[in-house]
Amino acid sequence: MASHVLRTAPRRRIRLDEHLPVDHRLSRFYRIGAGLMGLVLLVFGVLGLIDKVGFFDTRGDTVSGLSTNGALSVLSICVGLLLFAGMVIGGNVASTINMVLGVLFILSGFVNLVLLDSGLNFLAFRMPNVLFSFVVGVMLMFFGMYGRVGSALPHDNPYWRSRHPEQAAQEQRQQAGAELRAKALAQGTRSTPAPLGDSRSAR
């Protein structure tokens, strides 16, 4: 008995190296997100270093309501500078940096939540730090995924066009044809002479 094999079209995976014009509005959004979050982390890190707390002091010191030590301050500065680099580069790089760091911040929140009352709390985390890590992680993921990940992206979105090249090309041809027909119709309307009024014979 012959067996019939049903074949379905393979689903196209989301790629992180898809092309996005640097001057696209999404690129500006990724730049703004990376710059804002980078500035927050950079200021927090610099304020922590000013207090000259021990590098791995598990008791830490308080800066803007958050506990910190030398290690956390240096780490915050490094991450802030990385976000600034993403802001300068823009495009897919800024989006990817935002997404990756967002995931890492959320994971850091869970890991340090487990280590709060242990001797391995080398970043001097307290509960406000855990909540701050979650908030920063969610914000970074939002700034990185906006307009890039989703099932209902508009068809003029560059990521959607990259993932559906055949359909995008077909829609582009249809749009070009519609524009040509509209242009031809407009030219025909302008070239058609206006009807003359009824002439009356002079008596």
Side-chain angles (χ1 to χ4, degrees):
M1 183 176 180
S3 60
H4 299 279
V5 179
L6 297 178
R7 296 183 179 179
T8 58
R11 297 182 61 183
R12 190 176 181 87
R13 294 183 178 179
I14 296 176
R15 295 169 48 193
L16 295 181
D17 59 345
E18 293 163 319
H19 176 67
L20 176 68
V22 177
D23 58 345
H24 195 273
R25 59 183 179 84
L26 287 177
S27 179
R28 293 193 295 269
F29 183 82
Y30 302 147
R31 286 174 182 266
I32 293 173
L36 288 176
M37 303 311 297
L39 180 62
V40 170
L41 294 173
L42 192 62
V43 171
F44 174 73
V46 170
L47 291 178
L49 287 182
I50 290 176
D51 288 343
K52 297 180 180 179
V53 188
F55 200 77
F56 289 115
D57 185 0
T58 56
R59 292 176 299 177
D61 195 8
T62 303
V63 174
S64 300
L66 299 174
S67 178
T68 186
N69 59 11
L72 183 58
S73 298
V74 172
L75 183 60
S76 299
I77 292 175
C78 292
V79 175
L81 292 177
L82 180 59
L83 286 169
F84 273 122
M87 179 190 67
V88 173
I89 299 172
N92 292 350
V93 175
S95 172
T96 303
I97 289 177
N98 287 341
M99 284 192 291
V100 172
L101 289 180
V103 173
L104 292 178
F105 264 92
I106 292 177
L107 292 177
S108 172
F110 283 113
V111 171
N112 286 285
L113 179 61
V114 176
L115 301 177
L116 281 183
D117 298 324
S118 70
L120 299 176
N121 187 15
F122 296 122
L123 297 180
F125 260 57
R126 298 291 180 267
M127 186 55 68
N129 296 70
V130 173
L131 298 177
F132 178 76
S133 185
F134 286 148
V135 171
V136 172
V138 171
M139 292 297 296
L140 283 173
M141 290 183 66
F142 169 74
F143 282 124
M145 293 181 176
Y146 181 81
R148 185 171 186 177
V149 177
S151 59
L153 296 178
H155 288 195
D156 61 344
N157 183 288
Y159 294 115
W160 184 91
R161 300 179 70 86
S162 176
R163 295 164 195 163
H164 306 83
E166 296 180 359
Q167 187 175 350
Q170 181 180 359
E171 292 183 358
Q172 187 175 5
R173 289 193 297 269
Q174 292 175 350
Q175 182 179 1
E179 291 176 355
L180 287 176
R181 289 192 295 270
K183 185 177 180 180
L185 181 61
Q187 290 178 349
T189 303
R190 288 196 298 268
S191 61
T192 302
L196 299 175
D198 295 338
S199 59
R200 297 181 178 179
S201 57
R203 292 182 180 179

